[in-house]
């Protein structure tokens, strides 16, 4: 009885942090504070003001009058993400991911996630990345060569061209994941009509719109079976993906069978490595064909659009910062040829800094939401003041409470990164502050890939793809922005032009050839851009 009595007293005496923490007033009953918290890279100071006023962890309003905890505390983030069983993804997000990928790694939980992760890990290790680097570099050459051939011939032409670089980058990223991931050539840079590519785009775009029936099917998955337009399109796309994916799996199994199950886990692409690793598991532990198909969709989802968006923000930042652009180009041109190895790319320190800095400022996901599975106490690195004006070093979450870990907020905290935290300055990574060195991270002391057992398994490949593209394009082209345009971000962190939101995501940049004479050690830029003259 004493134990029961004590438990009741604790339950009554310890209210949820949702109710004890300070926080902003709701901006609307429908969206709460989400217009600020969920909009990436918010252009006004509201977001920063809230952190300054309420601390790095506070109570926020969610949709339909609900409440949740917001945190930009790296210790709280690490605690939660290292305990995925106690803090699973939200059900609605799981429904979205399951509709996109099937029962792959991103939706697997508990022992099933551990089993899949163990088999998949070799496909994203250092050895595998070294093997796929030539394929990724080859794909990076395709937009470079297309720009040179279609837009800038003859070579003597030094004029500027306006290019919406976003579709180019999206197609390039898709081709990279196709070749390096499956040994499959989408050829999207040259022809976007590939059947598998079209099917994946139709499926992912239909889910990302999240309007009308799209929202309802997230909440009530059974509605996907209704014979309406969006469901018919999704089913058609999934059928194409499953048909072509099954062919890929059969081919990789055939190749692996010819080598024998006991041969080393090697392959020319990630799916081949995955199939080989799978065959070396005990029969009861192997992934079935349905799960292997789900992993193909997972590779496409995680390795395509998110990487393309980071590439786009990187080019935009470089175009706006001539000093960074020149320094990055000078370093890239020190490399002896245009086809570096993985070690060659990693030997370029300023390129490494640029990639870290863009991932810090423009993470592909600005935040991660989790739900407490049971009553939990979450530690904080930085004390906060609650409603009772009491300093607290930990927060109490009830079962079912939602907590939003804001990666962008952690990546741009002034007290961690300095007063210039919102500026694009790659040099900061030459010597990072001590406080930053303690941030849990997979790469570069930034939170963009998450941490813990469910951290992004493909982070090495994402970094490799971004480096390969920047290295290739910066050696050949000069980039500039049109000062008449303001690039903003949509709710999903894709760039768009202010005043042209109805046109959807786009990133128009001004591009000119860069001519370098290696023998004389001289460089010639395109004729000075009007935009460049005004923006420098």
């Amino acid at each position: 009885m004493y134990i029961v009595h004590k438990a009741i007293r604790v339950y009554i005496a310890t209210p949820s942090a949702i109710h004890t923490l300070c926080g902003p007033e709701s901006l609307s009953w429908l969206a709460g504070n989400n217009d600020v918290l969920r909009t990436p890279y918010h252009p006004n100071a509201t977001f920063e003001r809230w952190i300054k006023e309420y601390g790095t962890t506070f109570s926020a309003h969610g949709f339909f009058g609900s409440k949740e905890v917001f945190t930009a505390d790296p210790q709280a983030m690490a605690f939660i993400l290292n305990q995925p069983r106690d803090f699973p993804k939200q059900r609605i997000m799981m429904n979205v991911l399951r509709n996109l990928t099937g029962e792959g790694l991103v939706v697997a939980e508990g022992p099933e996630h551990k089993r899949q992760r163990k088999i998949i890990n070799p496909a994203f290790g250092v050895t595998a990345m070294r093997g796929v680097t030539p394929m990724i570099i080859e794909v990076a050459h395709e937009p470079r060569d297309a720009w040179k051939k279609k837009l800038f011939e003859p070579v003597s032409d030094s004029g500027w061209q306006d290019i919406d670089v976003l579709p180019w980058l999206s197609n390039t990223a898709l081709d990279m994941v196709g070749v390096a991931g499956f040994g499959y050539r989408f050829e999207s840079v040259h022809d976007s009509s590939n059947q598998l590519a079209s099917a994946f785009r139709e499926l992912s775009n239909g889910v990302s719109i999240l309007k009308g029936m799209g929202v309802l099917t997230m909440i009530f998955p059974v509605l996907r079976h209704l014979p309406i337009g969006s469901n018919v399109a999704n089913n058609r796309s999934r059928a194409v993906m499953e048909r072509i994916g099954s062919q890929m799996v059969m081919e990789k199994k055939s190749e692996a069978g010819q080598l024998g199950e006991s041969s080393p886990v090697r392959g020319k692409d990630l799916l081949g490595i995955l199939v080989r690793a799978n065959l070396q598991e005990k029969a009861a532990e192997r992934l079935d064909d349905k799960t292997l198909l789900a992993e193909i969709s997972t590779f496409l989802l995680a390795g395509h659009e998110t990487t393309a968006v980071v590439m786009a923000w990187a080019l935009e930042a470089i175009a706006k910062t001539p000093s960074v652009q020149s320094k990055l180009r000078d370093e890239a041109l020190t490399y002896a040829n245009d086809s570096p190895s993985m070690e060659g790319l990693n030997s370029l320190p300023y390129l490494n800094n640029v990639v870290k800095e863009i991932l810090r400022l423009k993470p592909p996901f600005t935040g991660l939401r989790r739900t407490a599975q049971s009553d939990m106490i979450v530690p904080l690195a930085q004390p906060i003041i609650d409603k009772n004006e009491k300093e607290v070093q930990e927060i109490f979450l009830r079962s079912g409470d939602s907590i939003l870990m804001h990666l962008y907020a952690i990546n741009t905290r002034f007290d961690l990164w300095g007063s210039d935290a919102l500026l694009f300055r790659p040099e900061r990574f030459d010597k990072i502050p001590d406080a930053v060195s303690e941030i849990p991270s997979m790469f570069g002391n930034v939170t963009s890939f998450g941490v813990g057992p469910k951290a992004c398994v493909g982070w090495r490949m994402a970094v490799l793809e971004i480096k390969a593209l920047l290295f290739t394009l910066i050696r050949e082209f000069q980039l500039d922005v049109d000062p008449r345009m303001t690039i903003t971000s949509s709710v999903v962190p894709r760039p768009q032009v202010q005043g042209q939101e109805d046109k959807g995501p786009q990133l128009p940049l001004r591009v000119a050839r860069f001519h370098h004479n290696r023998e004389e050690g001289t460089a010639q830029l395109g004729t000075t851009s009007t935009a460049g003259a005004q923006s420098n």
Side-chain angles (χ1 to χ4, degrees):
M1 288 296 295
Y2 170 76
I3 295 176
V4 173
H5 176 68
K6 185 175 181 180
I8 292 174
R9 285 189 61 190
V10 169
Y11 189 87
I12 295 175
T14 312
S16 166
I18 283 177
H19 305 294
T20 61
L21 296 182
C22 301
E25 294 294 323
S26 177
L27 299 177
S28 77
W29 179 83
L30 178 63
N33 303 127
N34 278 285
D35 285 345
V36 173
L37 296 181
R38 295 187 65 198
T39 301
Y41 331 133
H42 206 270
N44 64 39
T46 302
F47 188 77
E48 289 76 21
R49 178 172 56 82
W50 284 352
I51 291 180
K52 185 176 181 179
E53 182 174 353
Y54 305 115
T56 54
T57 302
F58 56 80
S59 178
H61 294 265
F63 292 105
F64 306 114
S66 64
K67 296 193 75 174
E68 66 181 346
V69 172
F70 166 98
T71 187
D73 189 296
Q75 184 175 346
M77 178 198 70
F79 178 85
I80 291 168
L81 294 182
N82 275 296
Q83 301 185 76
R85 289 192 184 186
D86 296 321
F87 294 95
K89 294 184 180 80
Q90 291 190 325
R91 181 173 63 87
I92 289 179
M93 179 53 64
M94 293 289 278
N95 290 340
V96 173
L97 295 172
R98 189 173 283 110
N99 189 43
L100 276 172
T101 68
E103 300 295 333
L105 185 67
V106 294
V107 299
E109 298 283 356
E112 176 62 18
H113 178 271
K114 186 176 182 180
R115 179 174 77 102
Q116 290 191 29
R117 183 88 180 209
K118 176 189 174 186
I119 296 172
I120 289 172
N121 273 337
F124 291 96
V126 174
T127 301
M129 293 301 100
R130 182 179 295 112
V132 300
T133 298
M135 307 178 203
I136 290 174
I137 291 291
E138 182 182 354
V139 173
H141 288 171
E142 293 180 3
R144 177 202 67 183
D145 295 343
W147 288 7
K148 289 166 65 175
K149 182 177 181 180
K150 294 183 178 181
L151 305 177
F152 298 111
E153 285 190 342
V155 175
S156 60
D157 183 5
S158 58
W160 290 79
Q161 298 281 348
D162 294 322
I163 303 177
D164 180 5
V165 302
L166 192 59
W168 287 94
L169 300 179
S170 180
N171 290 335
T172 300
L174 184 61
D175 285 353
M176 284 180 174
V177 75
V179 173
F182 323 119
Y184 182 90
R185 292 193 171 273
F186 289 107
E187 301 289 354
S188 297
V189 171
H190 305 293
D191 180 9
S192 60
S193 64
N194 177 275
Q195 194 176 21
L196 179 58
S198 299
F200 177 74
R201 287 196 183 99
E202 185 175 44
L203 184 64
S204 58
N205 288 340
V207 175
S208 66
I209 292 173
L210 300 183
K211 293 180 180 178
M213 186 58 69
V215 176
L216 291 177
T217 55
M218 281 178 18
I219 303 172
F220 306 107
V222 69
L223 295 178
R224 296 190 197 123
H225 302 292
L226 294 177
I228 58 177
S230 59
N231 288 344
V232 171
N234 286 348
N235 292 336
R236 179 176 62 244
S237 299
R238 291 191 68 85
V240 172
M241 292 178 67
E242 289 176 6
R243 174 173 56 80
I244 299 178
S246 295
Q247 295 172 359
M248 293 181 189
V249 171
M250 292 300 295
E251 290 172 2
K252 300 306 175 185
K253 280 187 171 183
S254 177
E255 293 172 6
Q258 294 172 11
L259 294 173
E261 292 185 10
S262 60
S263 63
V265 180
R266 294 174 185 155
K268 294 181 179 180
D269 55 70
L270 305 186
L271 182 59
I273 296 172
L274 171 58
V275 169
R276 292 287 315 124
N278 192 41
L279 288 174
Q280 294 191 359
E281 293 292 316
K282 296 178 181 178
E285 293 296 317
R286 291 176 183 172
L287 306 181
D288 58 23
D289 285 359
K290 184 178 180 180
T291 306
L292 288 172
L293 283 173
E295 306 306 358
I296 291 176
S297 298
T298 300
F299 288 175
L300 282 169
L301 174 68
H304 167 222
E305 196 64 25
T306 52
T307 304
V309 168
V310 175
M311 290 175 177
W313 287 121
L315 291 186
E316 191 249 1
I318 291 168
K320 289 168 61 177
T321 320
S323 60
V324 171
Q325 184 175 163
S326 296
K327 189 172 180 179
L328 182 62
R329 182 182 296 108
D330 289 346
E331 181 183 75
L333 288 171
T334 64
Y335 202 81
N337 57 65
D338 63 359
S339 299
S341 62
M342 182 184 74
E343 287 78 10
L345 286 172
N346 291 339
S347 71
L348 302 173
Y350 198 65
L351 175 61
N352 202 42
N353 285 356
V354 168
V355 174
K356 289 178 182 178
E357 182 72 340
I358 203 62
L359 284 168
R360 183 184 72 85
L361 288 171
K362 306 289 187 179
F365 301 100
T366 53
L368 301 173
R369 272 189 172 87
R370 297 292 184 266
T371 301
Q373 193 78 345
S374 59
D375 295 353
M376 297 289 292
I377 295 176
V378 179
L380 303 175
Q382 182 171 348
I384 55 174
I385 305 299
D386 66 10
K387 287 182 177 179
N388 298 319
E389 299 184 354
K390 178 184 176 183
E391 182 179 278
V392 294
Q393 192 78 50
E394 58 189 24
I395 58 173
F396 180 72
L397 296 179
R398 291 281 185 209
S399 175
D401 283 352
S402 172
I403 183 165
L404 169 63
M405 298 159 287
H406 210 285
L407 308 184
Y408 172 70
I410 297 174
N411 289 347
T412 56
R413 273 177 49 180
F414 295 136
D415 59 324
L416 296 177
W417 295 92
S419 59
D420 64 349
L422 298 180
L423 298 181
F424 178 70
R425 189 174 68 82
E427 289 79 5
R428 75 176 72 249
F429 285 96
D430 289 336
K431 189 180 188 314
I432 59 174
D434 291 340
V436 169
S437 65
E438 297 176 4
I439 296 177
S441 171
M442 303 299 292
F443 174 74
N445 299 103
V446 296
T447 62
S448 306
F449 295 115
V451 294
K454 290 196 171 185
C456 176
V457 70
W459 69 267
R460 288 189 182 89
M461 184 168 173
V463 170
L464 180 61
E465 290 174 338
I466 297 166
K467 285 184 177 181
L469 186 94
L470 295 182
F471 171 88
T472 300
L473 295 184
I474 204 65
R475 286 166 59 100
E476 295 289 340
F477 304 107
Q478 184 185 15
L479 306 172
D480 203 350
V481 291
D482 187 335
R484 297 168 297 178
M485 290 189 175
T486 301
I487 306 299
T488 60
S489 176
S490 54
V491 174
V492 176
R494 299 185 180 101
Q496 59 185 11
V497 176
Q498 189 171 6
Q500 299 180 18
E501 290 84 359
D502 59 316
K503 294 183 178 180
Q506 56 176 322
L507 180 58
L509 294 180
R510 310 211 73 195
V511 184
R513 285 293 301 275
F514 178 89
H515 305 296
H516 183 77
N517 188 326
R518 284 191 175 277
E519 293 182 1
E520 298 179 7
T522 60
Q524 295 179 340
L525 299 179
T527 56
T528 303
S529 162
T530 303
Q534 295 181 26
S535 62
N536 291 345

